[in-house]
Amino acid sequence: MGKVAVVGAGMTKFVRRAQETGRELAWQAARMALDSAGMTLKDVDAVVIGSAPDAFDGVHMKGEYLADGSGGWRKPTMRNFVGGATGVFAPIQGWYHIASGQFDTVLVVCEEKMSSCHPHPQGAFLTIFDHTTERPLGPNLLWIFAIEMNRYMTVHGITKEEIALVAVKNKRNAMDHPCAQLGEELTVEDVLNSEIMAWPVNRLDVSPASDGAAAVVMCAEHVAKRVTDKPVWVEGVGWHLDTAYWTNRDLYYPRYVEYAARMAYDMAGIKEPRKEINIVEPYDPFDYKELHHLEGLLLCERGEAPRLTADGVTQRDGDLPVCPSGGLLGVGNPIAAAGLMKVCEIFWQLRGEAGKRQVPGTPKRGLAQAWGDLMQVGAVIILGR
Amino acid sequence: MREKLTNPEDVRTWPGTIPVEYVYTAGVAGEAYLRAIKERGCLAASTCPDCNIDYLPPRLYCERCFAKTDEPRDVAARGVVETFTVAHRDLDGRPLEPPVIYAFVRIAGTAGGLIHRLGDVEPGDVHIGLEVEAVFRPPAERVGSILDIEHFKPVG
Ligand SMILES: [Zn+2]
């Protein structure tokens, strides 16, 4: 398989309601990514679009809708969708477009406009549950996460205070992100005292609903060497699916993340991820999810992630910076765009272009992960200099 | 072996809905379009400075080259029927009485156009190439919607 590099990245501000349409947001991010690579639409051979359920934007067949704003005019274009994992799966799709030798340069664009869904995207989330066994109960996504969080806390004896530290860290990190929706200096008490949504989930444990887009330009080795002296290489990719039935698995541990990670580590030749991954952007739609996913990524023992957080290991200047961007909790959560934002962040960090968010030292390798559907899909990408 | 089912009512079913509502923004270019319709009783188009293509409805960017388009400019709501149909049934298959004429109208002086209804004309009198113009609702009744245009009618 050919080597594949990321050579450009861009994103819009993440906001609660954008005036721009989804396709206008897609264009802003895509154009920024191309400009940053010194490339134009003429250089693009194929387009990959990532966007989560059509129900959020209220646009049926969103891939077709977004295509012109994503650079898909008269080009081979396809949209992928694996729930919340879409934003990390989209560059994986870009990777295999190129690694296969089929295309030299691919523009990858992810978009979500969740403000269209009225009064709140929870109405659309309801419909992802089974119409026979779960929907009659009126499930709210928050309850389901609360059920998972409680199981995770109880199995390992983790407190809400320990988990709230993640929200405090990520919202603080986001204060340095020019596109962030919710950068804020908070205390653990602020998180604990925020409104209870579904115990043990309080309002500040949760990322917001957002509008936004993100994009990256990916290309084959010979193109990368021509257009940049700072290519960031795709070293590993992995994705995996678990059953959609809650009833036959234990929610305290995300196996689908572990299997996706193992696939990516194998491809990257990584034997000891804790030593070989310098920086990580795990998916953090809820604060406990960052911890849960760090464990699934084998970056610590099961139940150990809260201690790493309390010890400052996951701070920007810690041994393993986690969500230096500010994550979904701080930057915002336009679903597919949020996942790709994490890939953009690893790209900027590895190039030393993360501005005030730059982690110290010169990180060589970073990992972005997203998760989706009914807590069952894992997608992982490893980038390196 | 399962017997062949001939009556779908034999399967126990229950009704369900997907209860989602939306509020949409018109977007940067869409806002200019709807303002032209509501405030000035005309349409709007934007032009790619590099490709020299006029987009109607206007767009913020050129899909061909990704340049930002020029500011939208007003365009008279008048053009030519490029193709049309006469609908005799509604969404649910019920008769439409009278039938409704839907046309794609190419707007003069642009590379774009729009789908709208035709009115003040009998289906038998419509033909491809017919020159038409928009009939707008009275200014006080306009809300900033494509339905501020009641229909297109033959010119003259
Ligand atoms: Zn153009």
Side-chain angles (χ1 to χ4, degrees), chain A residues 21-37:
Chain A
T21 57
R23 50 185 20 149
E24 288 174 340
L25 291 169
W27 169 73
Q28 288 178 351
R31 175 70 197 263
M32 183 176 163
L34 282 172
D35 286 351
S36 79

PDB file of all heavy atoms in Angstrom, chain A residues 21-37:
ATOM      1  N   THR A  21     -25.511  27.898   5.649  1.00  0.00           N
ATOM      2  CA  THR A  21     -26.088  26.573   5.450  1.00  0.00           C
ATOM      3  C   THR A  21     -24.972  25.531   5.633  1.00  0.00           C
ATOM      4  O   THR A  21     -23.780  25.869   5.647  1.00  0.00           O
ATOM      5  CB  THR A  21     -26.633  26.422   4.023  1.00  0.00           C
ATOM      6  OG1 THR A  21     -25.556  26.677   3.102  1.00  0.00           O
ATOM      7  CG2 THR A  21     -27.767  27.397   3.753  1.00  0.00           C
ATOM      8  N   GLY A  22     -25.377  24.280   5.719  1.00  0.00           N
ATOM      9  CA  GLY A  22     -24.388  23.212   5.860  1.00  0.00           C
ATOM     10  C   GLY A  22     -23.372  23.229   4.736  1.00  0.00           C
ATOM     11  O   GLY A  22     -22.170  23.050   4.952  1.00  0.00           O
ATOM     12  N   ARG A  23     -23.849  23.444   3.516  1.00  0.00           N
ATOM     13  CA  ARG A  23     -22.904  23.415   2.379  1.00  0.00           C
ATOM     14  C   ARG A  23     -21.994  24.647   2.411  1.00  0.00           C
ATOM     15  O   ARG A  23     -20.845  24.559   1.991  1.00  0.00           O
ATOM     16  CB  ARG A  23     -23.649  23.284   1.055  1.00  0.00           C
ATOM     17  CG  ARG A  23     -24.728  24.274   0.940  1.00  0.00           C
ATOM     18  CD  ARG A  23     -25.670  24.251  -0.249  1.00  0.00           C
ATOM     19  NE  ARG A  23     -25.856  23.099  -1.062  1.00  0.00           N
ATOM     20  CZ  ARG A  23     -27.014  22.837  -1.678  1.00  0.00           C
ATOM     21  NH1 ARG A  23     -28.056  23.618  -1.475  1.00  0.00           N
ATOM     22  NH2 ARG A  23     -27.130  21.816  -2.485  1.00  0.00           N
ATOM     23  N   GLU A  24     -22.487  25.778   2.921  1.00  0.00           N
ATOM     24  CA  GLU A  24     -21.612  26.946   3.054  1.00  0.00           C
ATOM     25  C   GLU A  24     -20.546  26.721   4.131  1.00  0.00           C
ATOM     26  O   GLU A  24     -19.382  27.113   3.965  1.00  0.00           O
ATOM     27  CB  GLU A  24     -22.443  28.207   3.358  1.00  0.00           C
ATOM     28  CG  GLU A  24     -23.253  28.674   2.134  1.00  0.00           C
ATOM     29  CD  GLU A  24     -24.209  29.838   2.415  1.00  0.00           C
ATOM     30  OE1 GLU A  24     -24.564  30.080   3.601  1.00  0.00           O
ATOM     31  OE2 GLU A  24     -24.626  30.502   1.446  1.00  0.00           O
ATOM     32  N   LEU A  25     -20.937  26.065   5.218  1.00  0.00           N
ATOM     33  CA  LEU A  25     -19.951  25.710   6.253  1.00  0.00           C
ATOM     34  C   LEU A  25     -18.904  24.757   5.667  1.00  0.00           C
ATOM     35  O   LEU A  25     -17.704  24.911   5.903  1.00  0.00           O
ATOM     36  CB  LEU A  25     -20.645  25.032   7.441  1.00  0.00           C
ATOM     37  CG  LEU A  25     -21.553  25.924   8.302  1.00  0.00           C
ATOM     38  CD1 LEU A  25     -22.369  25.062   9.253  1.00  0.00           C
ATOM     39  CD2 LEU A  25     -20.734  26.943   9.078  1.00  0.00           C
ATOM     40  N   ALA A  26     -19.373  23.776   4.904  1.00  0.00           N
ATOM     41  CA  ALA A  26     -18.454  22.799   4.300  1.00  0.00           C
ATOM     42  C   ALA A  26     -17.445  23.514   3.407  1.00  0.00           C
ATOM     43  O   ALA A  26     -16.238  23.230   3.448  1.00  0.00           O
ATOM     44  CB  ALA A  26     -19.243  21.760   3.501  1.00  0.00           C
ATOM     45  N   TRP A  27     -17.939  24.471   2.613  1.00  0.00           N
ATOM     46  CA  TRP A  27     -17.046  25.216   1.721  1.00  0.00           C
ATOM     47  C   TRP A  27     -15.996  25.996   2.504  1.00  0.00           C
ATOM     48  O   TRP A  27     -14.816  26.007   2.137  1.00  0.00           O
ATOM     49  CB  TRP A  27     -17.848  26.169   0.822  1.00  0.00           C
ATOM     50  CG  TRP A  27     -16.982  27.134   0.085  1.00  0.00           C
ATOM     51  CD1 TRP A  27     -16.164  26.857  -0.975  1.00  0.00           C
ATOM     52  CD2 TRP A  27     -16.823  28.533   0.351  1.00  0.00           C
ATOM     53  NE1 TRP A  27     -15.506  28.000  -1.381  1.00  0.00           N
ATOM     54  CE2 TRP A  27     -15.895  29.034  -0.580  1.00  0.00           C
ATOM     55  CE3 TRP A  27     -17.387  29.401   1.292  1.00  0.00           C
ATOM     56  CZ2 TRP A  27     -15.513  30.378  -0.607  1.00  0.00           C
ATOM     57  CZ3 TRP A  27     -17.016  30.735   1.275  1.00  0.00           C
ATOM     58  CH2 TRP A  27     -16.079  31.215   0.334  1.00  0.00           C
ATOM     59  N   GLN A  28     -16.417  26.648   3.589  1.00  0.00           N
ATOM     60  CA  GLN A  28     -15.446  27.435   4.374  1.00  0.00           C
ATOM     61  C   GLN A  28     -14.309  26.545   4.871  1.00  0.00           C
ATOM     62  O   GLN A  28     -13.131  26.904   4.769  1.00  0.00           O
ATOM     63  CB  GLN A  28     -16.144  28.095   5.571  1.00  0.00           C
ATOM     64  CG  GLN A  28     -17.059  29.248   5.162  1.00  0.00           C
ATOM     65  CD  GLN A  28     -17.791  29.865   6.353  1.00  0.00           C
ATOM     66  OE1 GLN A  28     -17.753  29.334   7.453  1.00  0.00           O
ATOM     67  NE2 GLN A  28     -18.470  30.975   6.118  1.00  0.00           N
ATOM     68  N   ALA A  29     -14.657  25.383   5.415  1.00  0.00           N
ATOM     69  CA  ALA A  29     -13.624  24.490   5.960  1.00  0.00           C
ATOM     70  C   ALA A  29     -12.764  23.902   4.839  1.00  0.00           C
ATOM     71  O   ALA A  29     -11.530  23.836   4.949  1.00  0.00           O
ATOM     72  CB  ALA A  29     -14.280  23.381   6.777  1.00  0.00           C
ATOM     73  N   ALA A  30     -13.419  23.501   3.760  1.00  0.00           N
ATOM     74  CA  ALA A  30     -12.698  22.852   2.654  1.00  0.00           C
ATOM     75  C   ALA A  30     -11.742  23.835   1.982  1.00  0.00           C
ATOM     76  O   ALA A  30     -10.587  23.511   1.674  1.00  0.00           O
ATOM     77  CB  ALA A  30     -13.696  22.300   1.635  1.00  0.00           C
ATOM     78  N   ARG A  31     -12.232  25.043   1.794  1.00  0.00           N
ATOM     79  CA  ARG A  31     -11.398  26.071   1.159  1.00  0.00           C
ATOM     80  C   ARG A  31     -10.181  26.392   2.040  1.00  0.00           C
ATOM     81  O   ARG A  31      -9.054  26.529   1.552  1.00  0.00           O
ATOM     82  CB  ARG A  31     -12.257  27.313   0.907  1.00  0.00           C
ATOM     83  CG  ARG A  31     -11.532  28.513   0.358  1.00  0.00           C
ATOM     84  CD  ARG A  31     -11.077  28.309  -1.090  1.00  0.00           C
ATOM     85  NE  ARG A  31     -10.066  29.300  -1.437  1.00  0.00           N
ATOM     86  CZ  ARG A  31     -10.319  30.443  -2.085  1.00  0.00           C
ATOM     87  NH1 ARG A  31     -11.533  30.698  -2.521  1.00  0.00           N
ATOM     88  NH2 ARG A  31      -9.357  31.302  -2.325  1.00  0.00           N
ATOM     89  N   MET A  32     -10.407  26.455   3.347  1.00  0.00           N
ATOM     90  CA  MET A  32      -9.315  26.745   4.287  1.00  0.00           C
ATOM     91  C   MET A  32      -8.282  25.621   4.254  1.00  0.00           C
ATOM     92  O   MET A  32      -7.066  25.879   4.268  1.00  0.00           O
ATOM     93  CB  MET A  32      -9.911  26.896   5.690  1.00  0.00           C
ATOM     94  CG  MET A  32      -8.919  27.271   6.776  1.00  0.00           C
ATOM     95  SD  MET A  32      -9.825  27.507   8.351  1.00  0.00           S
ATOM     96  CE  MET A  32      -8.475  27.416   9.514  1.00  0.00           C
ATOM     97  N   ALA A  33      -8.750  24.383   4.183  1.00  0.00           N
ATOM     98  CA  ALA A  33      -7.818  23.247   4.148  1.00  0.00           C
ATOM     99  C   ALA A  33      -6.976  23.289   2.869  1.00  0.00           C
ATOM    100  O   ALA A  33      -5.759  23.085   2.895  1.00  0.00           O
ATOM    101  CB  ALA A  33      -8.589  21.934   4.251  1.00  0.00           C
ATOM    102  N   LEU A  34      -7.625  23.561   1.748  1.00  0.00           N
ATOM    103  CA  LEU A  34      -6.893  23.638   0.474  1.00  0.00           C
ATOM    104  C   LEU A  34      -5.895  24.792   0.495  1.00  0.00           C
ATOM    105  O   LEU A  34      -4.731  24.645   0.103  1.00  0.00           O
ATOM    106  CB  LEU A  34      -7.868  23.817  -0.694  1.00  0.00           C
ATOM    107  CG  LEU A  34      -8.603  22.562  -1.164  1.00  0.00           C
ATOM    108  CD1 LEU A  34      -9.677  22.941  -2.177  1.00  0.00           C
ATOM    109  CD2 LEU A  34      -7.646  21.541  -1.752  1.00  0.00           C
ATOM    110  N   ASP A  35      -6.355  25.959   0.966  1.00  0.00           N
ATOM    111  CA  ASP A  35      -5.462  27.127   1.033  1.00  0.00           C
ATOM    112  C   ASP A  35      -4.235  26.811   1.891  1.00  0.00           C
ATOM    113  O   ASP A  35      -3.113  27.189   1.552  1.00  0.00           O
ATOM    114  CB  ASP A  35      -6.196  28.340   1.623  1.00  0.00           C
ATOM    115  CG  ASP A  35      -7.198  28.953   0.641  1.00  0.00           C
ATOM    116  OD1 ASP A  35      -7.196  28.551  -0.545  1.00  0.00           O
ATOM    117  OD2 ASP A  35      -7.987  29.823   1.061  1.00  0.00           O
ATOM    118  N   SER A  36      -4.459  26.114   3.009  1.00  0.00           N
ATOM    119  CA  SER A  36      -3.346  25.847   3.924  1.00  0.00           C
ATOM    120  C   SER A  36      -2.330  24.913   3.281  1.00  0.00           C
ATOM    121  O   SER A  36      -1.170  24.881   3.675  1.00  0.00           O
ATOM    122  CB  SER A  36      -3.857  25.256   5.241  1.00  0.00           C
ATOM    123  OG  SER A  36      -4.146  23.877   5.111  1.00  0.00           O
ATOM    124  N   ALA A  37      -2.780  24.126   2.300  1.00  0.00           N
ATOM    125  CA  ALA A  37      -1.868  23.211   1.600  1.00  0.00           C
ATOM    126  C   ALA A  37      -1.297  23.859   0.341  1.00  0.00           C
ATOM    127  O   ALA A  37      -0.521  23.226  -0.386  1.00  0.00           O
ATOM    128  CB  ALA A  37      -2.603  21.922   1.234  1.00  0.00           C
TER     129      ALA A  37
END
